[in-house]
Amino acid sequence: MKEHLQTVTSNTSKLQSFLGVHQIEQQVHQCQRYIEDLEDDERTKEVDIKMKQNDEIEKILSKLVSLESLGKAIVEKTEINLHKETSLRRKAQVKSQEQSNINNMTMNIETKIKINIGKLISDMICLMDGRVIVVEWGGRVNLLTSDGKLQNQLNIPYGAFSVTQINQDNIAITYPVKNAIDIFNMENEAVTKVLKLGKQSLGLSFSDNSLAVGLSKDEIRIINLEENTLKSMQVQSGSYLYHLVYCERRVIYSDYKGKAVYCVDGLGKQIWQYKQDLIEPRGLCIDTHGNSIVIDCNGHIIKVISKDRQDSKVLISKEG
């Protein structure tokens, strides 16, 4: 991550640097949460094994009698300190408190890039290196340079729908006509793994080394890269689960027919819902403070919703 940080902060545009640092920050938070989870894990306990000698050993040996026991083994477990440095985390929390007020947030269009894609776009992500992937609805997967020029059309079968990045070289892809997720290596341009789902797969997001995928209208499934289902959540949605974000063990998804955005926990229990002044909410993302940014297509706005959904603000509108 240190090497990648140097790459994204030198000889790159402000937008590329921002997106790259955002990706690194998410990775750091994942690592910190992993260390915290280890504190209660059996693997992080110090183990001492002591041998208590049988006092009769000398007598038995002197009489050359076969031994049935040398004594008993005693295993003692004590908690150990992982000595994790938290000063950086404390600083980040202070910074988050200072900047999490969405009333201070603004969004300005730095530049507009025209891309030569005639079909409706179903998904679009920015990769760790600043390049952009644009998915045509049920069509091609286009790899663009950071300035919007077509670099390659990835050799992906079927009509893709949604895409998310797993690591530097690999992405995951869903298809509306295929009940599975493909893991695709961009370097070799080949599918390296297929995760079977048994249901129509749509919206897709990656976090904590797991994929969250929207299945039809009523299920969000969390699976790892070994195809093991970690959680299956039944959710309410009037529309297909086209757009969702998985972060901090929560899933946020949009329901464009219900004109709402929902947030559920890892068990599928609703944490909050937002329905104010939304006409057709679709695309979603989350900033580093946990606020949700949603694209309202027919409303022609980009709106931010605070992490506790107590506040909201229009960042960009068609008029502005």
Side-chain angles (χ1 to χ4, degrees):
M1 282 188 278
K2 285 182 179 179
E3 293 175 356
H4 186 48
L5 180 62
Q6 294 176 352
T7 301
V8 300
T9 55
S10 60
N11 301 321
T12 57
S13 66
K14 292 181 180 178
L15 177 60
Q16 290 174 306
S17 296
F18 171 78
L19 294 171
V21 171
H22 175 66
Q23 292 277 358
I24 294 172
E25 187 175 18
Q26 288 183 322
Q27 294 176 6
V28 171
H29 287 320
Q30 289 178 11
C31 293
Q32 289 173 330
R33 287 198 300 272
Y34 176 75
I35 291 298
E36 290 172 351
D37 291 342
L38 281 180
E39 290 181 340
D40 297 324
D41 196 292
E42 288 294 321
R43 291 172 294 173
T44 57
K45 289 183 172 57
E46 192 173 71
V47 177
D48 289 329
I49 299 179
K50 300 177 181 179
M51 299 297 295
K52 184 177 180 181
Q53 182 174 308
N54 191 326
D55 294 335
E56 300 296 319
I57 288 178
E58 295 298 330
K59 295 179 181 179
I60 295 173
L61 287 174
S62 64
K63 296 179 180 181
L64 299 178
V65 178
S66 61
L67 300 177
E68 293 184 358
S69 172
L70 290 174
K72 56 183 178 180
I74 302 171
V75 178
E76 296 180 357
K77 293 183 179 181
T78 57
E79 302 290 339
I80 61 173
N81 188 351
L82 293 178
H83 301 295
K84 61 180 185 295
E85 177 57 55
T86 59
S87 60
L88 179 61
R89 189 174 180 85
R90 287 197 297 269
K91 290 178 182 178
Q93 288 174 339
V94 172
K95 185 176 181 180
S96 176
Q97 292 171 357
E98 291 175 352
Q99 298 184 3
S100 61
N101 184 357
I102 66 171
N103 292 318
N104 298 329
M105 291 180 64
T106 59
M107 180 179 287
N108 299 313
I109 298 177
E110 184 176 289
T111 183
K112 291 184 179 181
I113 301 171
K114 186 176 181 180
I115 54 179
N116 187 25
I117 295 177
K119 285 190 175 182
L120 188 66
I121 294 173
S122 62
D123 203 3
M124 185 174 182
I125 64 169
C126 184
L127 299 175
M128 296 174 182
D129 58 11
R131 292 181 297 171
V132 176
I133 287 183
V134 179
V135 182
E136 300 174 10
W137 193 295
R140 297 173 298 183
V141 178
N142 303 280
L143 179 61
L144 310 182
T145 61
S146 58
D147 57 0
K149 296 178 181 178
L150 180 63
Q151 178 179 329
N152 190 16
Q153 288 181 339
L154 301 180
N155 183 26
I156 295 175
Y158 306 99
F161 180 82
S162 188
V163 61
T164 188
Q165 186 168 19
I166 295 175
N167 52 40
Q168 189 72 31
D169 297 322
N170 294 282
I171 57 176
I173 308 164
T174 60
Y175 311 85
V177 296
K178 184 179 179 182
N179 300 340
I181 298 172
D182 281 351
I183 308 300
F184 185 85
N185 184 282
M186 293 182 290
E187 185 72 21
N188 300 326
E189 290 202 46
V191 174
T192 58
K193 185 179 291 187
V194 178
L195 309 177
K196 298 178 181 179
L197 299 169
K199 291 177 68 175
Q200 182 184 30
S201 54
L202 298 167
L204 189 63
S205 181
F206 182 76
S207 178
D208 290 335
N209 294 315
S210 304
L211 289 160
V213 57
L215 303 177
S216 190
K217 293 183 178 181
D218 56 3
E219 182 186 358
I220 295 175
R221 194 176 298 176
I222 311 296
I223 64 172
N224 61 22
L225 299 179
E226 284 70 46
E227 204 176 342
N228 298 316
T229 297
L230 305 180
K231 294 170 186 174
S232 177
M233 301 174 285
Q234 299 300 310
V235 297
Q236 63 177 50
S237 180
S239 53
Y240 287 98
L241 295 166
Y242 287 141
H243 303 283
L244 57 83
V245 179
Y246 179 41
C247 185
E248 296 181 352
R249 300 175 186 175
R250 296 181 175 188
V251 179
I252 299 173
Y253 65 94
S254 60
D255 177 4
Y256 65 89
K257 285 188 176 179
K259 301 180 180 181
V261 175
Y262 297 97
C263 177
V264 296
D265 63 15
L267 299 176
K269 182 180 179 181
Q270 187 178 112
I271 300 173
W272 55 258
Q273 64 177 6
Y274 183 90
K275 293 187 175 182
Q276 300 175 30
D277 303 321
L278 293 176
I279 300 176
E280 190 179 338
R282 286 190 179 264
L284 290 167
C285 69
I286 296 178
D287 69 9
T288 54
H289 308 294
N291 303 312
S292 303
I293 299 173
V294 57
I295 296 176
D296 192 335
C297 291
N298 280 350
H300 304 292
I301 62 172
I302 297 178
K303 175 176 280 191
V304 59
I305 304 169
S306 61
K307 186 175 183 178
D308 58 5
R309 79 100 171 91
Q310 296 300 314
D311 203 2
S312 64
K313 179 183 178 181
V314 173
L315 296 177
I316 290 181
S317 65
K318 186 176 181 180
E319 293 76 17

